Amino acid sequence: RLHSLRDENGKGIDTEMKHALVTGGAGFLGSHLGDLLLKNGWRVTAMDNLITGDTANIAHNAGNPDFRFVQYDVTNYLFLPEKVDLVLHFASPASPIDYLQLPIQTLKVGSLGTHKALGLAKAHGAAFLLASTSEVYGDPLIHPQTEDYWGNVNPVGPRGVYDEAKRFAEAMTMAYHRYHGLDTKIVRIFNTYGPRMRLNDGRVVPAFISQALCGEPMTVFGDGSQTRSFCYVSDLVEGIYRLSQSDEHDPVNIGNPREMTVLQFAELIRDITGSKSEIVFRELPVDDPKVRQPDISRARRILGWGPRVPVEEGLKATIEYFRPRV
Ligand code: UDP
């Protein structure tokens, strides 16, 4: 399709629109990424098997001729007739309780699904971007985590299904880059939050916000001294888009380095919501990482990217999304 653009003199120019395939396109991150691509003038095909994704996340794009949704499992053979310029592989269960309940699907989408998505990118001569994760660092022994750290992962623990699938996916992506010369990128995504997270996905942000809004006890796991660093979704997808347009083939951390303990985070959410919920302590899940904070020097240097949304502001927007839904 021809897309009408205007140059700086207001003169119309026609360019052929670029086409992106987003696997996991009805998920939390995939849907926000699709929105950013549309805003930046792309045509978007969102593919999702809806195991953890939800069409409610993309309903606002219904009727947009530049957007298409395909319900499909990316672990099966993939075929798209029209030219694809960029494949963004975001399909995967991503919350600890999801991948504990869906261990085989999690392993399959990270391994077979990554292979199929890479194969499609190769067939189209498209660029490829893998959604990887800070979980490749496991329970890290280096703090904050730099991209050259190889990680400390328990392959046979309950989180191994996700961590090892993503590590395999990174290895597969680099093999396609080195062996086939595919233009690949790898983003290592740290904890991210914002509207469209699933209320019951078990992750700390929806859990604490819904508990605070309902006046229920806020369940801090362990003693709450473990740390996380939370990035607002608009910052995250901007960093990912910039990476997709770059020539960087090595992994790049994208996240917000502002680190806090889980207990501080519970107190912050309680304060912002004005809730009177009590804080209760529950058993720490197996292999729960004790610390996590991205070193984002590489993203700053290569992409000129850094987070802009302060956590208090991002949390307010997220709370307003959850308020009518709890
Ligand atoms: N957590 C918690 N209470 C909850 C859910 C999670 O204290 O109701 C903790 C969890 O143990 C972990 C942190 O919050 O230390 C972040 O958990 P999440 O599931 O969001 O993702 P993770 O960073 O562990 O992948």
Side-chain angles (χ1 to χ4, degrees):
R1 181 173 318 120
L2 291 179
H3 180 50
S4 190
L5 292 176
R6 303 210 166 269
D7 64 16
E8 56 272 38
N9 304 319
K11 207 166 138 255
I13 44 171
D14 281 332
T15 56
E16 200 170 333
M17 286 177 83
K18 299 250 192 217
H19 178 205
L21 168 68
V22 184
T23 76
F28 165 49
L29 295 183
S31 67
H32 282 285
L33 199 54
D35 288 348
L36 181 61
L37 286 158
L38 289 169
K39 193 173 131 225
N40 290 348
W42 290 68
R43 276 194 306 141
V44 174
T45 298
M47 185 177 280
D48 207 299
N49 66 0
L50 301 178
I51 286 191
T52 58
D54 190 336
T55 51
N57 292 335
I58 49 173
H60 57 283
N61 291 325
N64 181 340
D66 297 327
F67 182 82
R68 174 175 58 174
F69 173 63
V70 180
Q71 186 172 351
Y72 195 72
D73 182 341
V74 67
T75 61
N76 298 317
Y77 179 77
L78 283 186
F79 174 75
L80 279 183
E82 337 112 276
K83 177 128 180 53
V84 177
D85 302 286
L86 173 63
V87 176
L88 302 122
H89 184 40
F90 276 68
S92 179
S95 114
I97 63 161
D98 283 343
Y99 49 77
L100 293 183
Q101 280 164 14
L102 303 164
I104 315 284
Q105 285 99 323
T106 302
L107 280 159
K108 281 178 72 180
V109 75
S111 54
L112 305 179
T114 302
H115 187 214
K116 295 291 185 287
L118 281 162
L120 184 117
K122 177 166 159 273
H124 286 261
F128 177 89
L129 185 144
L130 173 70
S132 186
T133 168
S134 55
E135 284 283 321
V136 302
Y137 302 122
D139 191 4
L141 305 176
I142 297 282
H143 193 69
Q145 292 76 55
T146 47
E147 290 89 347
D148 55 11
Y149 176 48
W150 293 352
N152 177 38
V153 170
N154 174 6
V156 295
R159 299 173 88 104
V161 298
Y162 184 67
D163 301 10
E164 296 296 3
K166 290 292 189 181
R167 290 169 68 95
F168 175 91
E170 289 197 5
M172 185 64 121
T173 301
M174 288 311 288
Y176 266 69
H177 172 62
R178 294 196 179 106
Y179 187 78
H180 291 305
L182 201 70
D183 177 14
T184 61
K185 349 264 165 171
I186 298 173
V187 57
R188 291 189 179 147
I189 299 169
F190 283 67
N191 291 67
T192 304
Y193 68 98
R196 302 185 201 158
M197 292 189 97
R198 238 174 52 233
L199 194 58
N200 61 349
D201 87 355
R203 281 189 281 197
V204 69
V205 173
F208 283 174
I209 292 180
S210 60
Q211 290 162 348
L213 290 176
C214 296
E216 288 166 4
M218 297 173 75
T219 53
V220 168
F221 295 163
D223 61 5
S225 64
Q226 70 274 32
T227 70
R228 293 294 185 273
S229 310
F230 296 95
C231 185
Y232 190 62
V233 64
S234 61
D235 281 335
L236 188 95
V237 294
E238 174 61 29
I240 291 172
Y241 182 74
R242 288 192 196 189
L243 177 61
S244 78
Q245 302 306 297
S246 79
D247 296 325
E248 182 61 38
H249 303 299
D250 287 331
V252 178
N253 291 338
I254 300 279
N256 189 327
R258 180 164 164 201
E259 183 186 22
M260 60 185 98
T261 68
V262 167
L263 181 57
Q264 286 169 336
F265 195 56
E267 288 163 348
L268 179 63
I269 290 179
R270 191 169 60 175
D271 288 350
I272 296 176
T273 52
S275 170
K276 295 192 169 50
S277 288
E278 58 169 333
I279 290 177
V280 297
F281 296 89
R282 296 280 177 267
E283 201 178 334
L284 190 67
V286 177
D287 294 338
D288 197 282
K290 284 180 267 312
V291 290
R292 186 182 287 157
Q293 184 191 30
D295 180 315
I296 59 165
S297 328
R298 185 177 287 175
R300 286 195 195 280
R301 190 177 70 250
I302 294 170
L303 310 174
W305 176 88
R308 300 160 66 149
V309 180
V311 71
E312 292 77 6
E313 201 181 296
L315 279 175
K316 278 187 193 141
T318 310
I319 289 162
E320 288 326 305
Y321 171 82
F322 278 117
R323 200 184 291 281
R325 290 173 170 82
V326 295

